[in-house]
Amino acid sequence: MNGNEQTIEAEVVEIDGVAVEPKPKHEESGKGAPWARWGNWHGQVKRLDARWWPLWVVIGFIALVLFVSVGMVAVVLFVTWRIVAGLINAVASLFLPSSAQLQRR
């Protein structure tokens, strides 16, 4: 391919007998850039699109299930730790003298 190829530009006036409306030219300045219009998003961020409510329900349900399951695992680990610590303390108390026996009167 030759780097000096010419580009031919043509304006479509009519297709199959139907007139074609020309597209408006976009501004090349920074005002037309999407990042420059971020101030308009302020009101849109606060409201959720009603068409997406089934997705939010599913995501909320999954989050609730994860939250409850993590909480239950934490409770099971805590109860298991308390039982193991109690058993170790009970076995250790059989071999170690109590503090009442160490005191002299």
Side-chain angles (χ1 to χ4, degrees):
M1 292 205 151
N2 189 358
N4 296 330
E5 292 182 10
Q6 292 182 351
T7 303
I8 299 174
E9 293 185 18
E11 183 177 336
V12 177
V13 179
E14 185 176 324
I15 298 176
D16 293 334
V18 178
V20 177
E21 297 292 326
K23 289 185 178 181
K25 298 205 177 210
H26 296 291
E27 295 179 4
E28 298 296 327
S29 66
K31 291 182 181 179
W35 56 267
R37 295 188 307 257
W38 66 271
N40 296 339
W41 296 350
H42 179 68
Q44 295 175 358
V45 172
K46 289 185 179 180
R47 351 177 252 275
L48 296 174
D49 193 352
R51 295 175 294 177
W52 292 94
W53 73 265
L55 176 67
W56 295 119
V57 169
V58 170
I59 290 174
F61 181 73
I62 290 171
L64 180 67
V65 168
L66 287 174
F67 182 73
V68 169
S69 61
V70 167
M72 290 179 70
V73 167
V75 168
V76 166
L77 290 176
F78 177 73
V79 169
T80 303
W81 172 252
R82 292 292 302 239
I83 290 172
V84 169
L87 288 174
I88 291 172
N89 193 15
V91 171
S93 68
L94 292 174
F95 298 109
L96 298 174
S98 67
S99 60
Q101 291 176 349
L102 294 176
Q103 292 179 356
R104 293 189 183 211
R105 291 188 189 232

